[in-house]
Amino acid sequence: MTTPRDRLPKLFIHLVLILFGFACIIPLISLISVSLSDETTILKNGYSLLPQDFNFRAYAYVLYRPVQLLNAFKVSLIVSVMGTVISLLISAGIAYVLSREDYKYKNKLSFYVFFTMLFNGGLVPTYMLISNYLHLKNTIWVLILPYLAIPWFILILRTFMQKIPHDMIESCMIDGANEFRIFFQMVLPLAKPGLATVGLFTLLQYWNDWWLSLLYIETEKLVPLQFMLYRMINNIEFLTRSTNMMPPGMSNMIVPAETARMGMAILAAGPMLAVFPFFQKYFVKGLTVGAVKG
C-alpha cells in the first residue's frame, strides 16, 4: 500500500510534466489566436490567448493566390517525401556498413563521415559545382540531393544498428542469405525506431528548408512553401516600412503584418504537427533500445 510520502514524488513529477505541457501548448494557442485577430487590435492591446476582433484577414492575405500556394505545397510535399525516403535508404546503407564488426575499413570510413561534419567545401565552390558542372539549377533535384546523406543522421543510425547482435547476421549468412536480404529483411525492421527518428528529422529538414530555393530556384513552378512564405514576409516588411511610397488611396491601409506572420506559421507548421503523432511511439521505443535484454 502506497503512503502519502510515496505518492508525493509522483505528484511532483506529474505537476512538473503538466506545467511543461502547458508551456508547450500555450505558445501554439497564442499563435492561432493572433492569426485570427484584427491587426489594429493586436498593435493596441498586444497578444492574448483568445482572438481579439475575430476575423480572417490574415489568412485572406496569405491565401490571396491559392493556386500559387497549392503549387508550393505540392513542391514541398514531393521534395519532402522523395528526399526522406531516398535519404533514409542511403543513410541506413552507410550506417549498416559502419556498424558491421567484420568490415575492415569501418574506422576509416567513420572518420571520413565525421570529418565532413567539421569542414565543407564552402558556399561558392558548392554553388559552382551544382550550377556549372552538375547543371541542377532550376530543377527539383537541387532541392533533394544536397541533404541525402547528412553525417549526423548517419552516425545516429549507426548507433542503433550497432545494438543488433552480430551473431544474428552470421546466422543469416550461414542460412544462405545475401547482404541485401539481410539488410532489408532483418536489419531495417530491427532498426525501425532509429529509422523513424532520423526519418522525422530528415522530413523536417526538407520541409523547413528555404535556403536551397533562394540559391538555385528561379522559376515559380519549383518554389516550395517555405521560400514562398519567406518572400511574403519580406513583402510585408517592405510595405510596412514604405507606407509613404504607396498610392494616395492606399496610404492609410494597415498591412496585416503580425497576424499574417502567425497565419504563415500555422500553414507551415500544420502538416508537421499532423505527422508527428505517427512517429511518437517509435521515439519511446528508441529511448528504451538496449535498456532491457531479451
Side-chain angles (χ1 to χ4, degrees), residues 237-259:
E237 292 179 355
F238 175 78
L239 291 175
T240 53
R241 295 176 183 176
S242 307
T243 52
N244 57 342
M245 299 175 59
M246 290 185 179
M250 300 177 61
S251 58
N252 296 326
M253 184 184 69
I254 299 178
V255 180
E258 294 298 324
T259 55

Side-chain angles (χ1 to χ4, degrees), residues 206-226:
Y206 279 109
W207 183 263
N208 294 325
D209 180 72
W210 56 269
W211 175 246
L212 294 178
S213 307
L214 178 64
L215 291 178
Y216 304 112
I217 298 299
E218 297 177 354
T219 175
E220 290 295 328
K221 293 181 180 180
L222 294 177
V223 171
L225 178 65
Q226 300 297 337

Side-chain angles (χ1 to χ4, degrees), residues 134-193:
L134 299 180
H135 302 290
L136 294 175
K137 192 173 182 179
N138 284 323
T139 65
I140 197 170
W141 293 106
V142 78
L143 303 177
I144 297 175
L145 296 180
Y147 297 141
L148 284 184
I150 299 178
W152 176 241
F153 295 163
I154 293 174
L155 296 179
I156 292 177
L157 284 175
R158 183 198 65 173
T159 302
F160 274 93
M161 292 181 180
Q162 282 178 338
K163 300 180 182 297
I164 300 175
H166 186 66
D167 295 339
M168 296 177 61
I169 298 177
E170 290 182 343
S171 299
C172 294
M173 291 181 177
I174 294 174
D175 292 336
N178 56 30
E179 293 290 351
F180 287 100
R181 187 173 183 182
I182 295 173
F183 176 69
F184 285 103
Q185 295 188 3
M186 191 191 76
V187 175
L188 290 186
L190 293 177
K192 192 180 294 184

Side-chain angles (χ1 to χ4, degrees), residues 50-116:
L50 295 176
Q52 305 178 58
D53 294 338
F54 184 89
N55 63 69
F56 292 96
R57 292 177 185 173
Y59 292 98
Y61 177 83
V62 176
L63 301 174
Y64 178 71
R65 295 181 176 178
V67 176
Q68 187 177 3
L69 185 66
L70 290 175
N71 182 74
F73 260 110
K74 181 184 71 173
V75 173
S76 293
L77 184 62
I78 293 173
V79 169
S80 300
V81 173
M82 288 183 58
T84 301
V85 173
I86 300 174
S87 178
L88 277 180
L89 288 175
I90 294 176
S91 300
I94 299 174
Y96 171 62
V97 173
L98 297 180
S99 66
R100 287 285 296 266
E101 297 179 357
D102 55 345
Y103 181 57
K104 182 178 180 181
Y105 302 104
K106 74 169 186 175
N107 292 331
K108 295 181 180 179
L109 184 58
S110 298
F111 175 76
Y112 177 79
V113 173
F114 175 74
F115 186 81
T116 58

